Every structure is written in structure tokens, then in C-alpha cells.
Amino acid sequence: MPEVKLKSKVMQKNDEIAAVSRERFKKADIFCVNLIGSPGSGKTTLLEAAFRSTPDRARCAVIEGDVKTENDMNRILAAGVPAVQIQTDGACHLNAEQVAGMLDRLPLDEARVLIIENVGNLICPVSYDLGEESRLIVISVAEGQDKPLKYPSAFMSAQVMVVTTADLAPHVDVDIDGLIANARSINPKLEVLVTSARTGQGIDAFSKFLFDRPRR
Amino acid sequence: MPEVKLKSKVMQKNDEIAAVSRERFKKADIFCVNLIGSPGSGKTTLLEAAFRSTPDRARCAVIEGDVKTENDMNRILAAGVPAVQIQTDGACHLNAEQVAGMLDRLPLDEARVLIIENVGNLICPVSYDLGEESRLIVISVAEGQDKPLKYPSAFMSAQVMVVTTADLAPHVDVDIDGLIANARSINPKLEVLVTSARTGQGIDAFSKFLFDRPRR
């Protein structure tokens, strides 16, 4: 099966580069997170809300991934946080090589947290280790409560699920407890944060998750 | 470049099978549409709303695509329309072979419209012709107005954009006219339908699009 062999060679190279990045983050005491979610799940809006609410943004850096545009990098820069943009030009996920190639373009000497916002996609980014310490699935209430059942790999591979737009629940007939129960039926250990950038719900808890980690 | 060669061989096979399906639909006078959209963009809810509002559902059949679960097939069956489910088990899009393999399991003798609901993903399904006559991009207002700029291939390859959850616009600070302008900056010929399954807005227009086609 040439397809399978080719795939595994690509993955092996990816994982080797990710391991080097992970070691670098560990040595520099940088907490690296990989945000995965659908297009429009509110990943960038979540970051903007968190940065607005804490001076800890000064200890942060962001790598933005998109098929096209530098929109998200510009939004993060406007929030006062160093950011670079990877445009995949058609590819459906970031890979470890793209991320590693960006590290020297960020002021990582001053950073304690590196956030990688992946391409909007609940499937393809799951297979690609980027060297992160923690993987977050970001899901909007508007997406509906059955998404963990329909895209189980994403929820299985993550440590944390961040539910966004909690304020929309009454407008879309989605039961947030049901969404969480579905996610935990796939991954019982999943940590859950329920947020709304609009009302501020859960934003402090998200900032705490990012910044209040015991030093190694 | 073995990757490129392999890819093009896969695509060539896909396109050949799609062409056979397209010819079959043409001979049988079946209007086949391919619905592409993000997870939670409201593809199934749009179909449910359309089927509820018109007896023309009796002339319809649906192929559902998902990574996992038969949830969507069951929702369509409950709406009184014949449906089958393809579970891709990890794959990020439907292909023409999967679709062709389902055709004899649907009552196509009685159908005038065949709807294929693709896997929730704004990137990967774009490259795979399924034999459809018309490709629809389904996008929820909640996804934000810059999505056509960030995922241009999807909007370039479609004939129609169906905007869903129009009722959410005031709750998410999204300007629907701005979303449409962004989509038309990518594809000036794009036909646009603005809908809300909750208020019923635009559902009749969507049903008309599906069912009121001149016979060949």
C-alpha cells in the first residue's frame, strides 16, 4: 500500500520535528498549546477576550494558522500580543515543520505561553503533533451538542475542551450539559471550560489555565 | 514527487467515477446537489426545515456523510425522506466512489432531487467532484463574515451560498451583507440564499431552488 507508507513517512518526519520543538519549549519553560476547532468556532475571539482581561498577555506569543489571509494575526497584534501568520494556501492543517520554522520570528525569550491556533478544521489537524504540551478543542455552542460524537478523534486527542459562545445556548436550543456529556463519553478525562467572549463568562478561568501554571 | 503523482491518480479515478454518476443523474433527470459546510453550519437542520415545509420531499433522497454516527441519516428519515449514511471513519471528505456505491440503495426511480450532505469541513471536500450538478456552500452566520476570505476555494467552487441561522446575526455582531460581499469578492456569480430554520426565513426559497427546476 504505497499510500499508507507515504503517509507514515510524512507523519514520522512530523513527529520528529514536533519532538525537537517540545524539548525546546520544555527547556525554555514555555507552555505551548494547540487550539483546534471548526471554522468560526471562536478561537481568535477567545484569545482576544483573554488578552483584554489580563496583563499576562505580555508573557504570550501566538502562531496563527489559516488557509488564507493574515486577518487573525492582525487581530492578535491589535490585542497587544506578538503574533505570526502561517498561510497554508490550501492545506487543511498545520504541521510541525511550519510551526518550527516560525519559532525564531517570535520573542520567545520573554514568553511563557505559546499559543498555536490551527487551521479551522475538526478532522485533519488532529493527526499532526506540533510539539504542544496541551491540546485544546474549541467548540461553539452554535455547532450543536452532537459534534463530539461525530468527530470523536478530535475530542479523544485533547486534554481540554473550551466551549465558546455560551450566551447563544438559548438562541440555538443547545444544552451545554448535553454537549459536555457527549464530549466526556468520548474522553472521560477531558477538562472543560465554558466561556462567552460576549458576557465574559469563563474568560478568567481560561486565562488562569494559560498563565497560572506552577514553574518547573 | 511521488506524493503529487499519487494524489493526481486518486483524483483522476475520483473524477472518472463522478462523471459516470453525473451521466446517470442526467439520464434519470435527477438534480444532484453537494452540500459543503463547516461542522455545525446547519446543513441537516436546513434540510429538515425544507422537508417540513413542502410535500416535494416525496421526490427527494439524501446521502449523509459523517466521520462517525448515523445521527443525520436518522434525522432525515424522521423527516420522511429516504436516506443512507456514509461513515468515513476518519476521512475528511466524501469521494465519488463512496457516493456511487450508495446509489442503488436509494429509490432513485421516484426521486427528482438527490442531496449529498458532505462531511463537515470547509477545505477537503472541495477537491472531490461527487457527480453533482450544483455545489452549495452552507455557512452559519455564527461562523463570522470573514470565512469566504479565509476558505476561498470552497466559495470559488460553489454555485450557491446558503447562509443559515440568519436570526443569530444580532447576537453575534455579524453583518450578513458583509458576509455576502466577502463571498462575492471571491466568486461574483455566487447565488445567495439567506435562511433561518428557526424563523422560517428563506426556507421556501431554498425549497424552490431544490424542486422548481424546469424539466429537461
Side-chain angles (χ1 to χ4, degrees):
Chain A
M1 290 288 289
E3 283 180 60
V4 173
K5 261 196 201 158
L6 193 67
K7 178 86 179 166
S8 75
K9 213 172 159 186
V10 169
M11 297 309 294
Q12 197 186 326
K13 186 186 161 202
N14 185 82
D15 290 354
E16 284 167 11
I17 297 172
V20 172
S21 292
R22 184 174 285 107
E23 192 54 32
R24 176 172 172 176
F25 300 145
K26 200 174 163 186
K27 275 193 185 143
D29 201 12
I30 290 171
F31 179 49
C32 177
V33 304
N34 179 2
L35 294 194
I36 294 177
S38 303
S41 56
K43 299 180 287 300
T44 316
T45 303
L46 174 71
L47 296 181
E48 288 176 315
F51 295 155
R52 261 198 309 274
S53 73
T54 170
D56 283 323
R57 64 179 166 274
R59 301 191 288 143
C60 202
V62 175
I63 297 175
E64 284 291 341
D66 273 294
V67 174
K68 282 275 182 194
T69 81
E70 297 191 328
N71 291 3
D72 288 356
M73 175 186 76
N74 291 330
R75 287 169 62 183
I76 298 299
L77 289 172
V81 173
V84 290
Q85 179 81 47
I86 298 169
Q87 294 188 62
T88 66
D89 201 24
C92 51
H93 59 85
L94 294 180
N95 65 46
E97 188 173 10
Q98 291 169 321
V99 168
M102 284 294 175
L103 297 180
D104 289 333
R105 295 179 50 190
L106 285 165
L108 291 189
D109 286 349
E110 294 136 52
R112 285 292 155 266
V113 176
L114 173 64
I115 299 169
I116 305 167
E117 184 185 330
N118 222 309
V119 176
N121 186 327
L122 262 186
I123 307 169
C124 314
V126 173
S127 311
Y128 288 79
D129 183 6
L130 304 179
E132 72 266 20
E133 184 175 333
S134 187
R135 180 175 287 191
L136 279 63
I137 297 297
V138 179
I139 180 165
S140 162
V141 164
E143 292 177 61
Q145 67 202 49
D146 65 346
K147 291 304 164 292
L149 308 177
K150 294 173 89 176
Y151 304 86
S153 302
F155 294 82
M156 243 182 288
S157 82
Q159 286 77 49
V160 184
M161 173 172 78
V162 184
V163 179
T164 62
T165 63
D167 57 292
L168 288 184
H171 303 294
V172 292
D173 299 318
V174 168
D175 171 26
I176 294 177
D177 290 338
L179 168 63
I180 295 171
N182 282 337
R184 288 207 168 121
S185 77
I186 299 293
N187 180 351
K189 290 189 206 163
L190 204 61
E191 191 178 336
V192 176
L193 295 169
V194 177
T195 71
S196 163
R198 202 174 171 100
T199 67
Q201 179 187 348
I203 299 300
D204 281 353
F206 177 66
S207 292
K208 274 202 172 72
F209 166 80
L210 287 180
F211 296 109
D212 289 4
R213 309 194 77 77
R215 301 287 75 184
R216 281 196 191 87
Chain B
M1 289 289 289
E3 283 181 59
V4 172
K5 260 195 201 158
L6 193 67
K7 179 84 178 165
S8 74
K9 212 172 161 185
V10 168
M11 297 309 293
Q12 198 186 326
K13 186 186 163 203
N14 184 81
D15 291 353
E16 284 167 10
I17 298 172
V20 172
S21 293
R22 184 173 287 109
E23 192 54 32
R24 175 172 173 177
F25 300 145
K26 200 174 161 184
K27 275 193 186 146
D29 201 13
I30 291 171
F31 179 48
C32 177
V33 303
N34 179 1
L35 293 194
I36 295 178
S38 303
S41 56
K43 300 180 286 300
T44 316
T45 304
L46 174 72
L47 296 181
E48 287 175 316
F51 294 154
R52 261 198 309 274
S53 72
T54 170
D56 284 322
R57 63 179 166 274
R59 300 192 288 143
C60 202
V62 175
I63 297 175
E64 284 290 342
D66 273 295
V67 174
K68 283 271 183 198
T69 81
E70 299 190 327
N71 291 2
D72 288 356
M73 175 185 76
N74 291 331
R75 287 169 64 183
I76 298 299
L77 290 172
V81 173
V84 290
Q85 179 81 47
I86 298 168
Q87 294 189 61
T88 66
D89 201 25
C92 50
H93 59 84
L94 294 180
N95 64 46
E97 188 172 12
Q98 291 168 320
V99 169
M102 285 293 176
L103 298 180
D104 289 333
R105 293 179 50 193
L106 285 166
L108 291 189
D109 286 348
E110 293 136 53
R112 284 292 157 267
V113 176
L114 172 64
I115 299 169
I116 306 166
E117 184 184 331
N118 222 308
V119 176
N121 187 326
L122 261 187
I123 307 169
C124 314
V126 174
S127 311
Y128 289 80
D129 182 5
L130 305 180
E132 72 266 21
E133 184 176 333
S134 188
R135 180 175 288 190
L136 278 63
I137 297 296
V138 180
I139 180 165
S140 162
V141 164
E143 292 177 60
Q145 66 202 51
D146 66 346
K147 292 303 165 293
L149 307 178
K150 294 172 91 177
Y151 304 87
S153 301
F155 294 82
M156 243 182 292
S157 81
Q159 285 77 49
V160 183
M161 172 172 79
V162 183
V163 179
T164 63
T165 65
D167 56 292
L168 288 184
H171 304 294
V172 292
D173 299 319
V174 168
D175 171 26
I176 294 177
D177 290 337
L179 169 62
I180 294 170
N182 283 337
R184 288 207 168 123
S185 77
I186 299 294
N187 180 351
K189 290 188 206 162
L190 203 60
E191 191 178 336
V192 176
L193 296 169
V194 177
T195 71
S196 163
R198 202 173 171 101
T199 68
Q201 179 187 349
I203 298 301
D204 281 353
F206 177 67
S207 292
K208 273 203 172 73
F209 166 81
L210 287 180
F211 296 109
D212 289 4
R213 310 195 77 77
R215 301 286 76 185
R216 283 196 188 86

